[in-house]
Amino acid sequence: ILNVEQSPQSLHVQEGDSTNFTCSFPSSNFYALHWYRWETAKSPEALFVMTLNGDEKKKGRISATLNTKEGYSYLYIKGSQPEDSATYLCASAPRQLTFGSGTQLTVLP
Amino acid sequence: GAGVSQTPSNKVTEKGKYVELRCDPISGHTALYWYRQSLGQGPEFLIYFQGTGAADDSGLPNDRFFAVRPEGSVSTLKIQRTERGDSAVYLCASSLVTGGTDTQYFGPGTRLTVL
């Protein structure tokens, strides 16, 4: 992996479903991985900053895991709600962020 | 407290014109970043400041782009002789210190449209 890649590109789920998506990043010289949620017409909102292999972080119904050795992170949303509809971005550091293209999540009521 | 603010929120200009985009970071944040998001892509790094100086401008696409932060707070991104390909959302972010583990707080962006 040379760049930060996210999959799927877009996702539609029903309200109440749980969902997850993937971020792949270069595993060599890993420093930190950031997750953001970006709703239309708003500022990107920071969700997590992850640094340790095996780390798991949680914020309400959203959680994320990190595997630095193989270069991937998963973001999970439990019991999706319409207000979770947004684009979810991951980005690798060392300093300036290198972003993936995002996963656009739509939660249907 | 106040977050990162950017003005204007929208800017429509004609090809060849000069534009300035402003960013007000969170008070006390020493690091300031500019990114650009084109349609269908994630934000791309342009430049970052540590204090008043540009610590890394490797993301600026060409010499039509320039940014300043004269007093270590407000920053202005300047684009000369705009081209249609410059149309994008320009995002500004700030962080307390410089470092990959520090959260970057983003503004809402300026949507630039070059006709």
Side-chain angles (χ1 to χ4, degrees):
Chain A
I1 301 290
L2 297 179
N3 297 311
V4 178
E5 299 174 356
Q6 293 187 247
S7 63
Q9 186 175 20
S10 64
L11 190 58
H12 290 71
V13 301
Q14 291 293 137
E15 182 176 355
D17 287 350
S18 293
T19 187
N20 66 86
F21 19 93
T22 305
C23 172
S24 301
F25 54 86
S27 56
S28 60
N29 300 316
F30 174 80
Y31 198 82
L33 187 82
H34 298 237
W35 280 101
Y36 285 86
R37 174 171 61 197
W38 193 2
E39 295 179 64
T40 303
K42 295 186 177 180
S43 304
E45 174 195 356
L47 292 175
F48 307 113
V49 179
M50 308 182 77
T51 58
L52 300 176
N53 185 47
D55 204 5
E56 180 171 346
K57 297 209 170 183
K58 188 175 181 181
K59 183 178 182 179
R61 293 179 292 98
I62 303 176
S63 61
T65 61
L66 180 68
N67 183 322
T68 61
K69 293 182 179 180
E70 297 184 33
Y72 65 83
S73 176
Y74 294 133
L75 190 80
Y76 301 89
I77 303 178
K78 184 178 179 182
S80 303
Q81 300 296 310
E83 57 265 30
D84 296 330
S85 297
T87 295
Y88 291 82
L89 292 162
C90 68
S92 70
R95 183 168 290 112
Q96 65 271 23
L97 300 177
T98 300
F99 283 90
S101 298
T103 292
Q104 186 173 8
L105 175 67
T106 302
V107 182
L108 304 169
Chain B
V4 177
S5 63
Q6 293 185 245
T7 54
S9 55
N10 282 283
K11 177 71 178 178
V12 180
T13 191
E14 294 179 343
K15 178 183 173 182
K17 299 289 188 181
Y18 168 82
V19 296
E20 289 189 351
L21 311 179
R22 176 186 167 106
C23 172
D24 277 273
I26 293 172
S27 178
H29 281 193
T30 61
L32 185 146
Y33 306 79
W34 283 99
Y35 296 86
R36 174 171 76 170
Q37 193 222 14
S38 301
L39 196 62
Q41 300 179 18
E44 293 179 304
F45 167 75
L46 295 176
I47 184 171
Y48 96 88
F49 291 86
Q50 178 59 42
T52 60
D56 184 348
D57 64 358
S58 62
L60 294 178
N62 52 60
D63 61 7
R64 295 187 297 105
F65 289 74
F66 189 71
V68 295
R69 194 186 186 199
E71 298 179 359
S73 179
V74 170
S75 177
T76 304
L77 179 66
K78 308 180 181 191
I79 310 175
Q80 298 177 319
R81 304 183 305 280
T82 52
E83 299 178 356
R84 292 193 179 89
D86 299 335
S87 297
V89 175
Y90 289 81
L91 292 164
C92 174
S94 69
S95 63
L96 193 58
V97 295
T98 304
T101 60
D102 206 36
T103 298
Q104 294 185 22
Y105 296 90
F106 281 82
T110 294
R111 181 175 296 277
L112 175 66
T113 303
V114 182
L115 301 176

